[in-house]
Amino acid sequence: MSDATLHATAPDPDDFSVQIADQIESFLVAVTEVARGDEPDSAVPFLLLEVSQLLLAGGRLGAHEDILPDERYEPDLGPEPDVDELRERLAEMLDPVDVYSEVFDPYEPRKPPVPARISDDLADVMADLRHGMAHYRAGRTTEAMWWWQFSYFSNWGSTASATLRALQSLVAHVRLNQPLQELDGLDTDQELSEAALEEEAGRVMAEEIAAPLGLGLRKVK
């Protein structure tokens, strides 16, 4: 029985591929809704939740045995969906906390942190996931699962993990009433050392970003 035939039947909620596809679909819909900007006050906590749930799907893919595609060459999907508008909407919404510093490979010694953007990260993850979803909706379930697993290891897994850490750190700074360093003038086309990051960082109190981002403050004694 082919993938297309399997996909045409009623989906089994206990099937691994159905569960992964449902989690990925939920993330795609949720981030698209956040990017519309209808509820900016809840954007950061909501993104933290959605990225956390997506990484659960990624962890399951990572722990699963290697998934092999049915065909040697990937079927043509046509033009890739444009994520630039989503990227721009997220960047505008998350300003001034969009830029953060990240170490891409924790096992590569003496590698200085580099600037990254939450908006760029989320758009890149969305592009990877949409690519696989196009295969899944076309009935090529094995191809979709192979792509999601492969791209989890090669791109969206590490990207989403970095984004999660940035979002969690942001929420923690605000909830704990801790000052947040703003990377004034820092852009993602720069590669700066940790010392340079500290030198360029300005001081911004968490209260200044808490209200517009919908993060309640907790008093710390």
PDB file of all heavy atoms in Angstrom, residues 164-197:
ATOM      1  N   LEU A 164      14.406  28.982  21.881  1.00  0.00           N
ATOM      2  CA  LEU A 164      13.778  28.665  23.163  1.00  0.00           C
ATOM      3  C   LEU A 164      14.582  29.248  24.315  1.00  0.00           C
ATOM      4  O   LEU A 164      14.014  29.823  25.254  1.00  0.00           O
ATOM      5  CB  LEU A 164      13.668  27.146  23.322  1.00  0.00           C
ATOM      6  CG  LEU A 164      13.072  26.673  24.642  1.00  0.00           C
ATOM      7  CD1 LEU A 164      11.612  27.071  24.760  1.00  0.00           C
ATOM      8  CD2 LEU A 164      13.227  25.165  24.795  1.00  0.00           C
ATOM      9  N   ARG A 165      15.882  29.114  24.253  1.00  0.00           N
ATOM     10  CA  ARG A 165      16.734  29.650  25.321  1.00  0.00           C
ATOM     11  C   ARG A 165      16.600  31.170  25.405  1.00  0.00           C
ATOM     12  O   ARG A 165      16.536  31.739  26.496  1.00  0.00           O
ATOM     13  CB  ARG A 165      18.194  29.264  25.091  1.00  0.00           C
ATOM     14  CG  ARG A 165      19.131  29.776  26.172  1.00  0.00           C
ATOM     15  CD  ARG A 165      20.503  29.127  26.079  1.00  0.00           C
ATOM     16  NE  ARG A 165      21.432  29.718  27.037  1.00  0.00           N
ATOM     17  CZ  ARG A 165      21.456  29.429  28.334  1.00  0.00           C
ATOM     18  NH1 ARG A 165      20.608  28.560  28.831  1.00  0.00           N
ATOM     19  NH2 ARG A 165      22.338  29.997  29.131  1.00  0.00           N
ATOM     20  N   ALA A 166      16.547  31.834  24.250  1.00  0.00           N
ATOM     21  CA  ALA A 166      16.397  33.290  24.242  1.00  0.00           C
ATOM     22  C   ALA A 166      15.048  33.700  24.839  1.00  0.00           C
ATOM     23  O   ALA A 166      14.973  34.627  25.659  1.00  0.00           O
ATOM     24  CB  ALA A 166      16.537  33.822  22.818  1.00  0.00           C
ATOM     25  N   LEU A 167      13.979  33.032  24.442  1.00  0.00           N
ATOM     26  CA  LEU A 167      12.652  33.365  24.949  1.00  0.00           C
ATOM     27  C   LEU A 167      12.547  33.074  26.444  1.00  0.00           C
ATOM     28  O   LEU A 167      11.978  33.871  27.204  1.00  0.00           O
ATOM     29  CB  LEU A 167      11.594  32.559  24.194  1.00  0.00           C
ATOM     30  CG  LEU A 167      11.386  32.930  22.724  1.00  0.00           C
ATOM     31  CD1 LEU A 167      10.557  31.859  22.024  1.00  0.00           C
ATOM     32  CD2 LEU A 167      10.725  34.302  22.586  1.00  0.00           C
ATOM     33  N   GLN A 168      13.101  31.943  26.867  1.00  0.00           N
ATOM     34  CA  GLN A 168      13.060  31.602  28.290  1.00  0.00           C
ATOM     35  C   GLN A 168      13.856  32.599  29.114  1.00  0.00           C
ATOM     36  O   GLN A 168      13.435  33.010  30.206  1.00  0.00           O
ATOM     37  CB  GLN A 168      13.598  30.178  28.497  1.00  0.00           C
ATOM     38  CG  GLN A 168      13.398  29.620  29.897  1.00  0.00           C
ATOM     39  CD  GLN A 168      14.496  30.043  30.872  1.00  0.00           C
ATOM     40  OE1 GLN A 168      15.607  30.392  30.452  1.00  0.00           O
ATOM     41  NE2 GLN A 168      14.187  30.032  32.159  1.00  0.00           N
ATOM     42  N   SER A 169      15.007  33.012  28.603  1.00  0.00           N
ATOM     43  CA  SER A 169      15.822  33.999  29.304  1.00  0.00           C
ATOM     44  C   SER A 169      15.102  35.329  29.420  1.00  0.00           C
ATOM     45  O   SER A 169      15.128  35.990  30.457  1.00  0.00           O
ATOM     46  CB  SER A 169      17.161  34.182  28.572  1.00  0.00           C
ATOM     47  OG  SER A 169      17.965  35.146  29.221  1.00  0.00           O
ATOM     48  N   LEU A 170      14.430  35.715  28.342  1.00  0.00           N
ATOM     49  CA  LEU A 170      13.682  36.975  28.350  1.00  0.00           C
ATOM     50  C   LEU A 170      12.574  36.955  29.397  1.00  0.00           C
ATOM     51  O   LEU A 170      12.416  37.894  30.186  1.00  0.00           O
ATOM     52  CB  LEU A 170      13.093  37.227  26.966  1.00  0.00           C
ATOM     53  CG  LEU A 170      12.176  38.442  26.807  1.00  0.00           C
ATOM     54  CD1 LEU A 170      12.913  39.727  27.170  1.00  0.00           C
ATOM     55  CD2 LEU A 170      11.637  38.505  25.389  1.00  0.00           C
ATOM     56  N   VAL A 171      11.810  35.868  29.418  1.00  0.00           N
ATOM     57  CA  VAL A 171      10.737  35.751  30.404  1.00  0.00           C
ATOM     58  C   VAL A 171      11.304  35.740  31.816  1.00  0.00           C
ATOM     59  O   VAL A 171      10.766  36.380  32.729  1.00  0.00           O
ATOM     60  CB  VAL A 171       9.907  34.478  30.139  1.00  0.00           C
ATOM     61  CG1 VAL A 171       8.908  34.237  31.266  1.00  0.00           C
ATOM     62  CG2 VAL A 171       9.174  34.588  28.808  1.00  0.00           C
ATOM     63  N   ALA A 172      12.407  35.027  32.021  1.00  0.00           N
ATOM     64  CA  ALA A 172      13.016  34.953  33.347  1.00  0.00           C
ATOM     65  C   ALA A 172      13.506  36.318  33.815  1.00  0.00           C
ATOM     66  O   ALA A 172      13.320  36.683  34.979  1.00  0.00           O
ATOM     67  CB  ALA A 172      14.169  33.948  33.326  1.00  0.00           C
ATOM     68  N   HIS A 173      14.142  37.085  32.930  1.00  0.00           N
ATOM     69  CA  HIS A 173      14.614  38.427  33.294  1.00  0.00           C
ATOM     70  C   HIS A 173      13.458  39.284  33.790  1.00  0.00           C
ATOM     71  O   HIS A 173      13.585  40.014  34.782  1.00  0.00           O
ATOM     72  CB  HIS A 173      15.273  39.100  32.089  1.00  0.00           C
ATOM     73  CG  HIS A 173      16.731  38.797  31.946  1.00  0.00           C
ATOM     74  ND1 HIS A 173      17.687  39.325  32.777  1.00  0.00           N
ATOM     75  CD2 HIS A 173      17.400  38.011  31.056  1.00  0.00           C
ATOM     76  CE1 HIS A 173      18.878  38.889  32.420  1.00  0.00           C
ATOM     77  NE2 HIS A 173      18.729  38.090  31.373  1.00  0.00           N
ATOM     78  N   VAL A 174      12.346  39.216  33.095  1.00  0.00           N
ATOM     79  CA  VAL A 174      11.213  40.064  33.444  1.00  0.00           C
ATOM     80  C   VAL A 174      10.547  39.594  34.727  1.00  0.00           C
ATOM     81  O   VAL A 174      10.262  40.385  35.621  1.00  0.00           O
ATOM     82  CB  VAL A 174      10.201  40.103  32.286  1.00  0.00           C
ATOM     83  CG1 VAL A 174       8.947  40.861  32.692  1.00  0.00           C
ATOM     84  CG2 VAL A 174      10.827  40.751  31.058  1.00  0.00           C
ATOM     85  N   ARG A 175      10.298  38.297  34.832  1.00  0.00           N
ATOM     86  CA  ARG A 175       9.602  37.776  36.005  1.00  0.00           C
ATOM     87  C   ARG A 175      10.417  37.956  37.278  1.00  0.00           C
ATOM     88  O   ARG A 175       9.865  38.081  38.372  1.00  0.00           O
ATOM     89  CB  ARG A 175       9.279  36.298  35.789  1.00  0.00           C
ATOM     90  CG  ARG A 175       8.272  36.053  34.663  1.00  0.00           C
ATOM     91  CD  ARG A 175       6.866  36.519  35.031  1.00  0.00           C
ATOM     92  NE  ARG A 175       5.973  36.467  33.898  1.00  0.00           N
ATOM     93  CZ  ARG A 175       5.319  35.388  33.497  1.00  0.00           C
ATOM     94  NH1 ARG A 175       5.488  34.241  34.120  1.00  0.00           N
ATOM     95  NH2 ARG A 175       4.497  35.458  32.456  1.00  0.00           N
ATOM     96  N   LEU A 176      11.743  37.943  37.151  1.00  0.00           N
ATOM     97  CA  LEU A 176      12.610  38.079  38.323  1.00  0.00           C
ATOM     98  C   LEU A 176      13.053  39.517  38.551  1.00  0.00           C
ATOM     99  O   LEU A 176      13.893  39.777  39.412  1.00  0.00           O
ATOM    100  CB  LEU A 176      13.842  37.171  38.159  1.00  0.00           C
ATOM    101  CG  LEU A 176      13.557  35.672  38.070  1.00  0.00           C
ATOM    102  CD1 LEU A 176      14.843  34.898  37.814  1.00  0.00           C
ATOM    103  CD2 LEU A 176      12.878  35.175  39.340  1.00  0.00           C
ATOM    104  N   ASN A 177      12.486  40.458  37.777  1.00  0.00           N
ATOM    105  CA  ASN A 177      12.856  41.879  37.919  1.00  0.00           C
ATOM    106  C   ASN A 177      14.358  42.103  37.755  1.00  0.00           C
ATOM    107  O   ASN A 177      14.968  42.914  38.457  1.00  0.00           O
ATOM    108  CB  ASN A 177      12.412  42.424  39.284  1.00  0.00           C
ATOM    109  CG  ASN A 177      10.924  42.706  39.332  1.00  0.00           C
ATOM    110  OD1 ASN A 177      10.223  42.547  38.342  1.00  0.00           O
ATOM    111  ND2 ASN A 177      10.451  43.128  40.494  1.00  0.00           N
ATOM    112  N   GLN A 178      14.960  41.401  36.842  1.00  0.00           N
ATOM    113  CA  GLN A 178      16.395  41.559  36.599  1.00  0.00           C
ATOM    114  C   GLN A 178      16.616  42.452  35.386  1.00  0.00           C
ATOM    115  O   GLN A 178      15.936  42.301  34.371  1.00  0.00           O
ATOM    116  CB  GLN A 178      17.040  40.194  36.355  1.00  0.00           C
ATOM    117  CG  GLN A 178      17.026  39.288  37.569  1.00  0.00           C
ATOM    118  CD  GLN A 178      17.616  37.928  37.264  1.00  0.00           C
ATOM    119  OE1 GLN A 178      17.774  37.553  36.095  1.00  0.00           O
ATOM    120  NE2 GLN A 178      17.941  37.172  38.295  1.00  0.00           N
ATOM    121  N   PRO A 179      17.568  43.387  35.473  1.00  0.00           N
ATOM    122  CA  PRO A 179      17.853  44.248  34.317  1.00  0.00           C
ATOM    123  C   PRO A 179      18.244  43.409  33.102  1.00  0.00           C
ATOM    124  O   PRO A 179      18.890  42.379  33.214  1.00  0.00           O
ATOM    125  CB  PRO A 179      19.034  45.103  34.792  1.00  0.00           C
ATOM    126  CG  PRO A 179      18.942  45.070  36.286  1.00  0.00           C
ATOM    127  CD  PRO A 179      18.415  43.700  36.625  1.00  0.00           C
ATOM    128  N   LEU A 180      17.830  43.885  31.954  1.00  0.00           N
ATOM    129  CA  LEU A 180      18.105  43.185  30.695  1.00  0.00           C
ATOM    130  C   LEU A 180      19.052  44.035  29.871  1.00  0.00           C
ATOM    131  O   LEU A 180      18.819  45.224  29.676  1.00  0.00           O
ATOM    132  CB  LEU A 180      16.800  42.953  29.933  1.00  0.00           C
ATOM    133  CG  LEU A 180      16.872  42.101  28.676  1.00  0.00           C
ATOM    134  CD1 LEU A 180      17.147  40.644  29.050  1.00  0.00           C
ATOM    135  CD2 LEU A 180      15.569  42.198  27.897  1.00  0.00           C
ATOM    136  N   GLN A 181      20.113  43.425  29.386  1.00  0.00           N
ATOM    137  CA  GLN A 181      21.073  44.154  28.569  1.00  0.00           C
ATOM    138  C   GLN A 181      20.558  44.257  27.147  1.00  0.00           C
ATOM    139  O   GLN A 181      20.174  43.259  26.544  1.00  0.00           O
ATOM    140  CB  GLN A 181      22.425  43.454  28.583  1.00  0.00           C
ATOM    141  CG  GLN A 181      23.139  43.535  29.914  1.00  0.00           C
ATOM    142  CD  GLN A 181      24.518  42.925  29.835  1.00  0.00           C
ATOM    143  OE1 GLN A 181      24.753  42.016  29.045  1.00  0.00           O
ATOM    144  NE2 GLN A 181      25.433  43.410  30.634  1.00  0.00           N
ATOM    145  N   GLU A 182      20.550  45.465  26.621  1.00  0.00           N
ATOM    146  CA  GLU A 182      20.140  45.684  25.233  1.00  0.00           C
ATOM    147  C   GLU A 182      21.375  45.739  24.358  1.00  0.00           C
ATOM    148  O   GLU A 182      22.359  46.405  24.687  1.00  0.00           O
ATOM    149  CB  GLU A 182      19.353  46.987  25.106  1.00  0.00           C
ATOM    150  CG  GLU A 182      18.858  47.247  23.695  1.00  0.00           C
ATOM    151  CD  GLU A 182      18.144  48.573  23.582  1.00  0.00           C
ATOM    152  OE1 GLU A 182      18.469  49.489  24.344  1.00  0.00           O
ATOM    153  OE2 GLU A 182      17.269  48.693  22.711  1.00  0.00           O
ATOM    154  N   LEU A 183      21.327  45.054  23.230  1.00  0.00           N
ATOM    155  CA  LEU A 183      22.471  45.019  22.324  1.00  0.00           C
ATOM    156  C   LEU A 183      22.370  46.191  21.354  1.00  0.00           C
ATOM    157  O   LEU A 183      22.004  46.045  20.204  1.00  0.00           O
ATOM    158  CB  LEU A 183      22.511  43.688  21.582  1.00  0.00           C
ATOM    159  CG  LEU A 183      22.542  42.451  22.485  1.00  0.00           C
ATOM    160  CD1 LEU A 183      22.604  41.191  21.635  1.00  0.00           C
ATOM    161  CD2 LEU A 183      23.710  42.508  23.446  1.00  0.00           C
ATOM    162  N   ASP A 184      22.683  47.386  21.848  1.00  0.00           N
ATOM    163  CA  ASP A 184      22.567  48.599  21.052  1.00  0.00           C
ATOM    164  C   ASP A 184      23.479  48.535  19.835  1.00  0.00           C
ATOM    165  O   ASP A 184      24.682  48.333  19.952  1.00  0.00           O
ATOM    166  CB  ASP A 184      22.941  49.831  21.890  1.00  0.00           C
ATOM    167  CG  ASP A 184      21.913  50.113  22.965  1.00  0.00           C
ATOM    168  OD1 ASP A 184      20.733  49.796  22.738  1.00  0.00           O
ATOM    169  OD2 ASP A 184      22.298  50.647  24.015  1.00  0.00           O
ATOM    170  N   GLY A 185      22.899  48.733  18.648  1.00  0.00           N
ATOM    171  CA  GLY A 185      23.692  48.795  17.439  1.00  0.00           C
ATOM    172  C   GLY A 185      24.189  47.464  16.931  1.00  0.00           C
ATOM    173  O   GLY A 185      24.872  47.392  15.925  1.00  0.00           O
ATOM    174  N   LEU A 186      23.848  46.387  17.621  1.00  0.00           N
ATOM    175  CA  LEU A 186      24.318  45.075  17.210  1.00  0.00           C
ATOM    176  C   LEU A 186      23.407  44.501  16.136  1.00  0.00           C
ATOM    177  O   LEU A 186      22.198  44.566  16.241  1.00  0.00           O
ATOM    178  CB  LEU A 186      24.332  44.143  18.427  1.00  0.00           C
ATOM    179  CG  LEU A 186      24.933  42.750  18.221  1.00  0.00           C
ATOM    180  CD1 LEU A 186      26.406  42.853  17.866  1.00  0.00           C
ATOM    181  CD2 LEU A 186      24.742  41.911  19.466  1.00  0.00           C
ATOM    182  N   ASP A 187      23.996  43.945  15.105  1.00  0.00           N
ATOM    183  CA  ASP A 187      23.195  43.361  14.037  1.00  0.00           C
ATOM    184  C   ASP A 187      23.711  41.965  13.746  1.00  0.00           C
ATOM    185  O   ASP A 187      24.827  41.607  14.124  1.00  0.00           O
ATOM    186  CB  ASP A 187      23.272  44.232  12.775  1.00  0.00           C
ATOM    187  CG  ASP A 187      22.052  43.992  11.874  1.00  0.00           C
ATOM    188  OD1 ASP A 187      21.291  43.045  12.151  1.00  0.00           O
ATOM    189  OD2 ASP A 187      21.887  44.750  10.914  1.00  0.00           O
ATOM    190  N   THR A 188      22.906  41.185  13.037  1.00  0.00           N
ATOM    191  CA  THR A 188      23.256  39.784  12.828  1.00  0.00           C
ATOM    192  C   THR A 188      24.316  39.572  11.760  1.00  0.00           C
ATOM    193  O   THR A 188      24.754  38.440  11.573  1.00  0.00           O
ATOM    194  CB  THR A 188      21.998  38.991  12.441  1.00  0.00           C
ATOM    195  OG1 THR A 188      21.332  39.665  11.371  1.00  0.00           O
ATOM    196  CG2 THR A 188      21.054  38.865  13.610  1.00  0.00           C
ATOM    197  N   ASP A 189      24.741  40.613  11.073  1.00  0.00           N
ATOM    198  CA  ASP A 189      25.819  40.427  10.109  1.00  0.00           C
ATOM    199  C   ASP A 189      27.177  40.707  10.743  1.00  0.00           C
ATOM    200  O   ASP A 189      28.198  40.686  10.076  1.00  0.00           O
ATOM    201  CB  ASP A 189      25.629  41.333   8.876  1.00  0.00           C
ATOM    202  CG  ASP A 189      25.582  42.814   9.231  1.00  0.00           C
ATOM    203  OD1 ASP A 189      25.653  43.142  10.430  1.00  0.00           O
ATOM    204  OD2 ASP A 189      25.473  43.623   8.297  1.00  0.00           O
ATOM    205  N   GLN A 190      27.185  40.952  12.049  1.00  0.00           N
ATOM    206  CA  GLN A 190      28.421  41.169  12.771  1.00  0.00           C
ATOM    207  C   GLN A 190      28.787  39.907  13.529  1.00  0.00           C
ATOM    208  O   GLN A 190      27.931  39.193  14.026  1.00  0.00           O
ATOM    209  CB  GLN A 190      28.281  42.324  13.776  1.00  0.00           C
ATOM    210  CG  GLN A 190      28.022  43.682  13.137  1.00  0.00           C
ATOM    211  CD  GLN A 190      27.750  44.725  14.189  1.00  0.00           C
ATOM    212  OE1 GLN A 190      26.631  44.898  14.635  1.00  0.00           O
ATOM    213  NE2 GLN A 190      28.790  45.415  14.599  1.00  0.00           N
ATOM    214  N   GLU A 191      30.083  39.641  13.630  1.00  0.00           N
ATOM    215  CA  GLU A 191      30.562  38.541  14.449  1.00  0.00           C
ATOM    216  C   GLU A 191      31.477  39.143  15.512  1.00  0.00           C
ATOM    217  O   GLU A 191      32.621  39.488  15.248  1.00  0.00           O
ATOM    218  CB  GLU A 191      31.311  37.515  13.603  1.00  0.00           C
ATOM    219  CG  GLU A 191      30.407  36.780  12.616  1.00  0.00           C
ATOM    220  CD  GLU A 191      31.122  35.649  11.927  1.00  0.00           C
ATOM    221  OE1 GLU A 191      32.295  35.400  12.294  1.00  0.00           O
ATOM    222  OE2 GLU A 191      30.532  35.034  11.044  1.00  0.00           O
ATOM    223  N   LEU A 192      30.943  39.270  16.710  1.00  0.00           N
ATOM    224  CA  LEU A 192      31.652  39.953  17.775  1.00  0.00           C
ATOM    225  C   LEU A 192      32.004  38.976  18.889  1.00  0.00           C
ATOM    226  O   LEU A 192      31.297  38.010  19.139  1.00  0.00           O
ATOM    227  CB  LEU A 192      30.790  41.087  18.340  1.00  0.00           C
ATOM    228  CG  LEU A 192      30.338  42.145  17.324  1.00  0.00           C
ATOM    229  CD1 LEU A 192      29.482  43.192  18.023  1.00  0.00           C
ATOM    230  CD2 LEU A 192      31.535  42.800  16.654  1.00  0.00           C
ATOM    231  N   SER A 193      33.095  39.275  19.561  1.00  0.00           N
ATOM    232  CA  SER A 193      33.495  38.464  20.700  1.00  0.00           C
ATOM    233  C   SER A 193      32.598  38.769  21.892  1.00  0.00           C
ATOM    234  O   SER A 193      31.829  39.732  21.898  1.00  0.00           O
ATOM    235  CB  SER A 193      34.950  38.768  21.064  1.00  0.00           C
ATOM    236  OG  SER A 193      35.048  40.120  21.511  1.00  0.00           O
ATOM    237  N   GLU A 194      32.726  37.959  22.924  1.00  0.00           N
ATOM    238  CA  GLU A 194      31.925  38.178  24.123  1.00  0.00           C
ATOM    239  C   GLU A 194      32.256  39.534  24.747  1.00  0.00           C
ATOM    240  O   GLU A 194      31.371  40.239  25.226  1.00  0.00           O
ATOM    241  CB  GLU A 194      32.178  37.049  25.126  1.00  0.00           C
ATOM    242  CG  GLU A 194      31.297  37.132  26.363  1.00  0.00           C
ATOM    243  CD  GLU A 194      31.461  35.914  27.238  1.00  0.00           C
ATOM    244  OE1 GLU A 194      32.307  35.053  26.924  1.00  0.00           O
ATOM    245  OE2 GLU A 194      30.744  35.825  28.250  1.00  0.00           O
ATOM    246  N   ALA A 195      33.535  39.909  24.723  1.00  0.00           N
ATOM    247  CA  ALA A 195      33.922  41.193  25.273  1.00  0.00           C
ATOM    248  C   ALA A 195      33.284  42.335  24.496  1.00  0.00           C
ATOM    249  O   ALA A 195      32.839  43.332  25.071  1.00  0.00           O
ATOM    250  CB  ALA A 195      35.443  41.336  25.252  1.00  0.00           C
ATOM    251  N   ALA A 196      33.208  42.192  23.163  1.00  0.00           N
ATOM    252  CA  ALA A 196      32.600  43.233  22.353  1.00  0.00           C
ATOM    253  C   ALA A 196      31.101  43.317  22.609  1.00  0.00           C
ATOM    254  O   ALA A 196      30.519  44.402  22.607  1.00  0.00           O
ATOM    255  CB  ALA A 196      32.869  42.961  20.873  1.00  0.00           C
ATOM    256  N   LEU A 197      30.476  42.169  22.823  1.00  0.00           N
ATOM    257  CA  LEU A 197      29.057  42.182  23.142  1.00  0.00           C
ATOM    258  C   LEU A 197      28.803  42.935  24.440  1.00  0.00           C
ATOM    259  O   LEU A 197      27.881  43.733  24.545  1.00  0.00           O
ATOM    260  CB  LEU A 197      28.545  40.741  23.271  1.00  0.00           C
ATOM    261  CG  LEU A 197      28.377  39.945  21.978  1.00  0.00           C
ATOM    262  CD1 LEU A 197      28.069  38.490  22.297  1.00  0.00           C
ATOM    263  CD2 LEU A 197      27.278  40.537  21.129  1.00  0.00           C
TER     264      LEU A 197
END
